[in-house]
Amino acid sequence: LELINAPADAFVDGEMIASTREMLFSALRDIVYTQSGLDSQHVDLDSSQGLTDYVFQLLRNARTLRPGGEPKIVVCWGGHSISSEEYKYTK
């Protein structure tokens, strides 16, 4: 991983701050997982069900959703599951 134009405040004495390093690792992990998932399995990103399934696969991989626990998270992407009138109202 090569960082270009990284902000100076991400480093202390030439070392990247641990929390910044962890966030970069998490993003890289999710990018690799996403690409390998798209390459190795049939993912239907053109259907609402396929897209929903894939988003939840990503959330499970990122350990955002844990079995047996309350998720305490709301996932919303687009207005496909609500009426056009309701979608416009929320905007």
Side-chain angles (χ1 to χ4, degrees), residues 24-82:
L24 284 172
F25 175 79
S26 294
L28 181 60
R29 175 203 63 211
D30 293 346
I31 291 167
V32 170
Y33 175 81
T34 301
Q35 189 58 48
S36 66
L38 289 173
D39 290 345
S40 67
Q41 56 185 296
H42 175 69
V43 177
D44 181 12
L45 297 179
D46 294 324
S47 76
S48 179
Q49 180 178 348
L51 184 58
T52 298
D53 289 345
Y54 197 61
V55 167
F56 280 94
Q57 286 178 27
L58 294 174
L59 291 172
R60 279 192 300 270
N61 183 64
R63 293 184 219 113
T64 302
L65 299 176
R66 293 189 174 111
E70 292 188 34
K72 297 179 184 176
I73 187 172
V74 174
V75 178
C76 180
W77 56 93
H80 63 276
S81 63
I82 60 175

Side-chain angles (χ1 to χ4, degrees), residues 7-18 20-21:
D9 58 357
F11 299 87
V12 174
D13 295 331
E15 291 288 321
M16 185 179 292
I17 297 170
T20 302
R21 187 174 47 250

